[in-house]
Each structure stands twice: as structure tokens, then as C-alpha cells.
Amino acid sequence: METLALPRIATSVASGYARRLLDPQYDRLGDAEIGQQLRALPRGEKRTLELILHTVGAVLDHTMSERGTARKFLKDVLADAPSELASRLMNGGNAYYGVTALLELNDGELEAFLDWYDGADERWRNTILQFIKRRTAVQIARILRLNPRDRNDIVQLSMRREPIVPDRLPWLDAFTARMRGEEP
């Protein structure tokens, strides 16, 4: 009987987690403009792209070395990507985002969304639509449970392009000064 190769087992477990964690990224890619454009292609062209993706996956699977844990991890994750992408191409993502996600809300949640939307001016309505475009029904429902002020704050924070963390952190400056033996 062969002994257990714990590093290989640990690598397989880690790559399984990595593949699961990449799932939402594949969904986001599928829901991005390029994903929508690819899904809108005629059926024959989508099948051709699917064949290409599966061929790339097979080539990666058969040509990449598994010597070493890092290589095995990389091979496992990369070999899985083409079939995940092909699945999104042919079937769409697993979660609905944006306006489609609104249809998955219950009546109370949908009414709360419509009240929020109707009470907004034109500029803020556009901001709300941009916000929900990247949200699932579960995420939208969670936001709708907040009071209107907190809801709007969350939307504003999520739409910011600059980092929210300040450039300087006073506690870090004081700690660094102490480490150097200086007075903060």
C-alpha cells in the first residue's frame, strides 16, 4: 500500500478552495460587458469558443508538470478555469445581478427598493442603478434592510474611486517613531 503524500493532499485541498473562491470572479466576468457580448453571440460561435476553451484546458492538463506543490496547485487551478469560463459562456452565471436580481426579491423588498428609487432625484437614481448593477438579490435585500441614511452611505462608499484609508495613520507613525527610539 502506498503511503499518503501529505504535501500533495494539502495542495489538492488548497487548490479546491482556490477554485471555489474564484467562482464569484468567473460570475463577475460573465456578467461584465465582455461576458454579455460573448453570451449574445450566435449559438455556433459560442460552441466554437466553448471548444477552444475546453481544448486549452486539456492542453494545460496534459502539458503542465505536477512536480512540486506550487506547480500542482497552479495546474489544478488553471486547468479548471477554461471549463468554468465555458460554463458561464453557455449557461450564464449562477447568480443574477442588477435589475434581474430585483425580480428575485420578495414583495416587501421590491416595494422597499421602489420606494427608495422613486424618492431619489435623477442623478441619485443613476447612482442607485450603477450600484445594483453589481449586486445579487441577497446583497440588495441586505442593503434594503438598512435605514435610508445608512443605505445611501453604503452606496456612496461603494461608488468611490479613491481609497477610503487615509495616506497617514497617526498610530503607525507613533509606533514607527518608538521603534526608532524617537519621541512620537
Side-chain angles (χ1 to χ4, degrees):
M1 183 170 130
E2 190 176 322
T3 60
L4 291 177
L6 291 180
R8 285 187 65 79
I9 292 170
T11 301
S12 292
V13 169
S15 68
Y17 275 105
R19 290 190 310 265
R20 180 183 59 80
L21 292 172
L22 283 171
D23 246 15
Q25 304 312 316
Y26 296 134
D27 288 338
R28 284 189 187 272
L29 181 62
D31 291 326
E33 187 175 333
I34 190 164
Q36 292 173 8
Q37 289 173 351
L38 290 173
R39 279 199 311 275
L41 290 172
R43 187 180 185 104
E45 291 179 28
K46 286 195 319 189
R47 291 206 183 270
T48 301
L49 279 175
E50 180 185 28
L51 175 64
I52 291 168
L53 285 168
H54 287 303
T55 302
V56 167
V59 168
L60 285 173
D61 189 45
H62 291 288
T63 59
M64 288 185 71
S65 168
E66 286 190 11
R67 275 184 264 142
T69 55
R71 286 183 182 183
K72 177 167 178 26
F73 175 84
L74 192 60
K75 178 182 178 181
D76 288 351
V77 172
L78 287 178
D80 187 54
S83 66
E84 290 291 339
L85 293 171
S87 174
R88 269 59 173 195
L89 171 68
M90 299 308 288
N91 305 322
N94 292 332
Y96 294 107
Y97 290 84
V99 177
T100 307
L102 292 176
L103 300 175
E104 295 195 2
L105 298 176
N106 67 38
D107 291 346
E109 294 163 342
L110 188 55
E111 187 173 328
F113 173 79
L114 292 173
D115 288 345
W116 179 37
Y117 185 78
D118 288 341
D121 63 25
E122 189 63 32
R123 191 175 132 273
W124 191 245
R125 282 181 177 187
N126 287 331
T127 302
I128 291 171
L129 290 177
Q130 288 301 312
F131 174 78
I132 68 159
K133 207 161 118 178
R134 298 182 309 248
R135 304 294 180 269
T136 65
V138 172
Q139 293 168 331
I140 294 169
R142 184 171 185 193
I143 292 296
L144 291 172
R145 287 193 295 272
L146 298 173
N147 68 54
R149 181 178 172 200
D150 290 344
R151 183 185 309 157
N152 290 335
D153 287 347
I154 293 291
V155 171
Q156 284 179 328
L157 284 172
S158 74
M159 302 305 283
R160 289 180 67 152
R161 299 220 184 268
E162 68 274 357
I164 348 177
V165 178
D167 291 336
R168 305 292 294 175
L169 299 172
W171 65 267
L172 183 58
D173 291 339
F175 176 76
T176 305
R178 283 192 195 108
M179 293 301 290
R180 291 184 184 142
E182 303 167 358
E183 281 296 313

